[in-house]
Amino acid sequence: MTLLVLVVIVLPFTLLLASLASDVVNLYHQIEDMIKTGELQAYFERVKEVPVFKSILARLGQHIDLSSMDPVPLLLKNLNQISTFIFNQTTILIKGFSTFVAGFFFTLLSLYYLFKDGSALFEGLKETAPLPSKEKELLIQRFRDMIYAPSTGDSDRRDSGCLRRLSFWALGLPSPIFWEPQWLCFHSYLSVGPL
């Protein structure tokens, strides 16, 4: 069972992290290439010609001098600062990763013994509860219902997630892993409202 947890949870999580790292590196190189070729500046000029942005920039131009603003040097400066920060924080990242690996190892060890001796532990806890037998069973059944409810009631969310990922793939969006958190924030905003 612990092996199943490793295959079902650890392997996809590792692949997700590798994909995220690859997307970050590709995005950085893509922006760097766009800056070197002047494609980014041309893109900003095309964006300025979109009627919606044109009207917004015209309104902002009344209050702020936009002619002196150049987004490319600002973007280059921020990219250099981010890469310098990541390079300087490498030891902290390695320490955090090693702490995560050690904690994950102990979690897997705990899972192994819970899967192995979990029923005996559960029966022992059931015997120590100061409730009549009928109420114990009712309480256990309610906990089971509460635990199983998210997995049975969220099929529409899983289906929409699969369709969303398929649409990201079909549209050929670069770095689709960055679009998923934005979609989730937007989805939670629609269902919960502003926080």
Side-chain angles (χ1 to χ4, degrees):
M1 192 64 130
T2 306
L3 184 61
L4 179 67
V5 169
L6 277 172
V7 170
V8 171
I9 295 174
V10 176
L11 186 63
F13 184 71
T14 305
L15 292 175
L16 180 72
L17 284 180
S19 176
L20 178 63
S22 172
D23 282 349
V24 167
V25 169
N26 289 340
L27 183 67
Y28 179 79
H29 290 300
Q30 185 179 8
I31 290 174
E32 193 175 45
D33 290 342
M34 288 174 72
I35 290 172
K36 286 179 184 175
T37 61
E39 189 178 336
L40 188 65
Q41 186 66 30
Y43 178 75
F44 282 133
E45 293 302 321
R46 284 194 314 260
V47 167
K48 287 179 185 178
E49 296 303 317
V50 175
V52 173
F53 292 120
K54 199 172 193 177
S55 64
I56 291 172
L57 290 173
R59 288 184 187 172
L60 281 175
Q62 296 172 355
H63 305 288
I64 302 170
D65 182 24
L66 295 175
S67 63
S68 63
M69 293 181 68
D70 190 15
V72 174
L74 179 66
L75 189 61
L76 269 175
K77 179 182 153 196
N78 286 335
L79 285 175
N80 285 334
Q81 285 179 347
I82 289 170
S83 61
T84 304
F85 174 77
I86 290 173
F87 180 73
N88 290 336
Q89 299 298 321
T90 304
T91 57
I92 295 171
L93 290 172
I94 291 172
K95 178 184 173 195
F97 181 73
S98 62
T99 303
F100 170 76
V101 168
F104 189 74
F105 170 74
F106 285 115
T107 302
L108 286 179
L109 190 66
S110 301
L111 268 178
Y112 171 74
Y113 283 109
L114 281 175
F115 286 139
K116 182 180 174 205
D117 300 329
S119 58
L121 177 65
F122 179 68
E123 291 300 323
L125 286 174
K126 221 162 81 169
E127 293 301 319
T128 60
L131 296 171
S133 170
K134 186 176 179 180
E135 289 182 16
K136 284 182 197 177
E137 292 303 321
L138 180 64
L139 184 65
I140 290 169
Q141 186 58 42
R142 286 189 180 175
F143 269 108
R144 283 188 179 136
D145 291 345
M146 184 176 64
I147 290 169
Y148 292 133
S151 63
T152 57
D154 287 346
S155 63
D156 60 333
R157 270 195 254 178
R158 281 193 302 272
D159 295 343
S160 69
C162 290
L163 288 174
R164 185 173 56 247
R165 287 177 195 93
L166 279 174
S167 65
F168 289 163
W169 173 75
L171 292 172
L173 289 175
S175 306
I177 203 151
F178 289 123
W179 291 101
E180 187 69 22
Q182 293 172 3
W183 181 269
L184 290 174
C185 289
F186 180 69
H187 180 69
S188 66
Y189 180 79
L190 290 177
S191 60
V192 176
L195 301 175

